[in-house]
Amino acid sequence: MQEKHWTAVAHPNIALVKYWGKRDERLNLPAVGSISITLDTLESRTVLQVNPNSTQDEFIINGSLAPEHQRIRIQDFLDLFRNHTGQSLYFIVNSTNNFPTGAGLASSASGFAALAVAANAAFDFPFSQQELSTIARQGSGSAARSIFGGWVEMHRGEKADGTDAYAEPLLSPDEWPVSILVCITSEGPKTVGSTEGMNLTAATSPYYSAWVESQESDLTAMRNAIRNRDFDQVIDIAEFSCLKMHGLMLSARPGLVYWNGVTVDIIHHVRQLRKQGIPAFFTIDAGPQVKVVCLPEVADTVEGSLQGIPGIRRIYRTGLGPGAHLVDAEN
Ligand code: PMV
């Protein structure tokens, strides 16, 4: 007999005003707010199936049994639902990504957002969308943003319990479409994970307090730029925030160097495109991949020109996508 199951889909997101640093590690509370766009095309698909007569969750990722530390991370996350509802339901969690996992493409954001939505259905919807965003945050900071589609803002929050550290939508994908070219420059796994990198930076960088203090003005400027559909302003603030974050990472001790040579080649290439009047910008997270964002009318030109850069292994082209959502439930 097929046990009860619930399936949810979520997409990765890319921050335009970056998050780096935690104000509370246990609750995974960010030291700064952030603004992101949620992608389409790339997705995590997560199926929860009741694991009858068990007091343990099982976790299968891309068809293979996950290592124990990952299984525990999933079980701790599902405990948030069990503790809140008092229901001791355990699951077989089967999650697949249609893009490389753990390679700097935000698979933890889409993975935890999909898991949060599927679990919310399995526990009979105890949480609102806003609460679900605070729950997803506890799996991965950026997962809070993938609960919503399009242009999204994540609030740092002030409260110690984290109930005001949630994301909310700014504009839907249709209200201001853009194209994203995700350039893969290395297929290898991350060198230093985001939590470890954030802790090292906060503990050792002389620039850390300036980073935290200057975030509010970037958020305000980006919010206004998005509201006014001012792409030139978005370009300016997004590249500033990205390079400021990488400057901060470089100033940790030992410095965090997430880029490779091709990463740098793409930065110069995108700036060259702009000199030719093509509105596009780059953004880079805790890894060597570069995401190039442009208006849809120039996406063919930008993609064609990126294909000429030696060392780019592959390019994924996406637009803006929806928030995490349930696609199937069989009770
Ligand atoms: O979601 P985390 O904890 O992996 O942190 C994400 C950090 C960056 O991707 C570098 C920036 C961001 O805001 O997504």
Side-chain angles (χ1 to χ4, degrees):
M1 187 189 81
Q2 171 77 297
E3 294 295 338
K4 291 180 180 182
H5 64 271
W6 298 265
T7 307
V9 163
H11 302 281
N13 69 79
I14 303 170
L16 305 184
V17 175
K18 301 292 188 189
Y19 146 56
W20 194 253
K22 298 183 197 286
R23 67 180 170 92
D24 178 308
E25 196 176 334
R26 192 182 60 83
L27 287 172
N28 211 16
L29 296 174
V32 292
S34 53
I35 292 179
S36 61
I37 45 178
T38 301
L39 309 183
D40 60 13
T41 313
L42 309 182
E43 67 173 41
S44 295
R45 181 172 289 260
T46 300
V47 184
L48 280 194
Q49 193 178 321
V50 173
N51 195 4
N53 312 321
S54 179
T55 52
Q56 183 163 307
D57 299 305
E58 281 178 36
F59 181 39
I60 299 159
I61 175 83
N62 297 323
S64 306
L65 215 51
E68 184 61 7
H69 71 277
Q70 284 185 18
R71 192 196 68 74
I72 288 176
R73 203 169 159 201
I74 298 299
Q75 180 154 301
D76 287 350
F77 185 77
L78 290 171
D79 279 345
L80 299 172
F81 290 85
R82 285 186 279 263
N83 294 341
H84 181 83
T85 60
Q87 294 183 62
S88 49
L89 276 177
Y90 289 83
F91 300 93
I92 299 165
V93 179
N94 203 320
S95 189
T96 43
N97 297 322
N98 69 352
F99 60 99
T101 303
L105 290 183
S107 56
S108 65
S110 49
F112 276 106
L115 180 59
V117 165
N120 204 38
F123 284 92
D124 208 15
F125 303 98
F127 297 118
S128 68
Q129 287 290 94
Q130 188 173 303
E131 287 166 335
L132 214 48
S133 177
T134 69
I135 297 284
R137 186 201 73 230
Q138 294 174 66
S140 157
S142 49
R145 302 185 305 230
S146 277
I147 294 293
F148 301 102
W151 303 76
V152 175
E153 175 160 8
M154 171 75 195
H155 300 286
R156 167 196 193 279
E158 299 298 328
K159 293 186 184 167
D161 67 1
T163 49
D164 56 352
Y166 54 82
E168 60 184 345
L170 294 173
L171 287 182
S172 71
D174 296 343
E175 284 176 303
W176 198 20
V178 290
S179 297
I180 302 100
L181 298 147
V182 180
C183 303
I184 307 299
T185 67
S186 163
E187 319 263 14
K190 270 194 213 185
T191 39
V192 180
S194 55
T195 299
E196 190 186 341
M198 288 181 199
N199 287 342
L200 175 75
T201 309
T204 61
S205 169
Y207 303 158
Y208 185 70
S209 58
W211 159 259
V212 173
E213 278 156 30
S214 64
Q215 185 78 346
E216 216 46 55
S217 70
D218 294 350
L219 289 168
T220 305
M222 184 61 93
R223 221 178 283 128
N224 288 335
I226 293 169
R227 207 169 283 146
N228 299 328
R229 319 284 204 277
D230 184 340
F231 200 67
D232 287 340
Q233 274 299 308
V234 172
I235 291 174
D236 181 61
I237 305 156
E239 286 195 359
F240 174 58
S241 178
C242 168
L243 293 177
K244 190 165 50 157
M245 179 182 76
H246 284 275
L248 174 74
M249 292 161 159
L250 288 168
S251 73
R253 199 165 177 168
L256 295 164
V257 188
Y258 283 110
W259 299 356
N260 60 33
V262 185
T263 313
V264 180
D265 291 343
I266 302 172
I267 291 176
H268 290 301
H269 184 86
V270 170
R271 291 196 156 171
Q272 205 53 45
L273 285 177
R274 277 216 300 282
K275 282 207 178 116
Q276 295 159 23
I278 297 169
F281 67 89
F282 60 82
T283 188
I284 307 155
D285 293 302
Q289 329 299 8
V290 185
K291 294 90 179 190
V292 180
V293 184
C294 63
L295 293 173
E297 53 267 32
V298 298
D300 284 342
T301 310
V302 174
E303 183 173 4
S305 80
L306 289 167
Q307 276 159 353
I309 300 180
I312 297 186
R313 287 157 187 263
R314 95 173 267 192
I315 300 175
Y316 294 94
R317 179 159 164 182
T318 83
L320 296 187
H325 55 282
L326 206 59
V327 291
D328 178 37
E330 190 70 49
N331 291 293

